[in-house]
Amino acid sequence: DAGVTQSPTHLIKTRGQQVTLRCSPKSGHDTVSWYQQALGQGPQFIFQYYEEEERQRGNFPDRFSGHQFPNYSSELNVNALLLGDSALYLCASSSTTSGSPGTDTQYFGPGTRLTVL
Amino acid sequence: AQSVSQHNHHVILSEAASLELGCNYSYGGTVNLFWYVQYPGQHLQLLLKYFSGDPLVKGIKGFEAEFIKSKFSFNLRKPSVQWSDTAEYFCAVRETNAGKSTFGDGTTLTVKP
């Protein structure tokens, strides 16, 4: 049973560029959440997708956007990259219980390390 | 807004010592609580979780945590650590029936052989 997978593993971009990160959830999971983990800090919630819609969002600017596909996989897009966007981007998947999206345990992928120069 | 505080940034122990890592959160409603571990070079893995019921929860690898609602705490314990427990430990809290988890900044545990 494959866990959460993310691609690419590492990415180097320059300021002002745009980036797309990809995530495939664990089998049987329908909800995907994205987190940003800066060096020395805990993961910070960016947003969550369920039924191809953004259901909840953290304190991140509109430069951060996402998408969920019918097969539950997801993309995170970041426009107009800033140096401060350099971080590990984590995808977490979960299933839905009691009608509330993503209320079961989240399982994390290995992350994509983004470096902005 | 929720916040999670992990008081110990770096803990160094010798093998067989007992471990307790502190975690306090601020949120007045019903919460789910988690401890995750990140071993060197690996991704975040769930150690244990509390959703409801017995406030003393047991996880993998001999870890346990106790939810004390009156103190807004969810401390992680292990009676005897091993060198292989060297890792970073994260406490997280989530409002019940919400998707967002709020994490602490982590505690780095180094166990000396």
Side-chain angles (χ1 to χ4, degrees), chain A residues 37-96:
Chain A
Q37 186 177 13
L39 205 60
Q41 296 182 19
Q44 284 197 296
F45 178 78
I46 302 174
F47 42 53
Q48 183 183 78
Y49 276 83
Y50 171 71
E51 291 188 338
E52 302 180 48
E53 289 187 3
E54 182 183 295
R55 288 302 178 114
Q56 197 172 6
R57 188 178 184 93
N59 293 326
F60 280 80
D62 292 344
R63 297 187 297 109
F64 290 76
S65 63
H67 188 76
Q68 186 179 34
F69 299 93
N71 66 353
Y72 308 121
S73 67
S74 177
E75 288 182 348
L76 164 66
N77 301 293
V78 187
N79 294 323
L81 285 167
L82 304 174
L83 295 179
D85 295 331
S86 295
L88 181 68
Y89 288 85
L90 297 170
C91 171
S93 74
S94 53
S95 58
T96 298

Side-chain angles (χ1 to χ4, degrees), chain B residues 71-113:
Chain B
K71 294 185 177 180
F72 298 92
S73 71
F74 189 56
N75 291 352
L76 181 71
R77 300 193 292 249
K78 186 172 184 179
S80 176
V81 295
Q82 301 173 319
W83 176 80
S84 58
D85 293 325
T86 295
E88 190 153 20
Y89 293 81
F90 293 93
C91 179
V93 61
R94 185 181 72 192
E95 296 173 45
T96 304
N97 295 327
K100 169 187 175 181
S101 287
T102 300
F103 283 77
D105 281 339
T107 297
T108 302
L109 172 65
T110 301
V111 180
K112 294 181 175 180

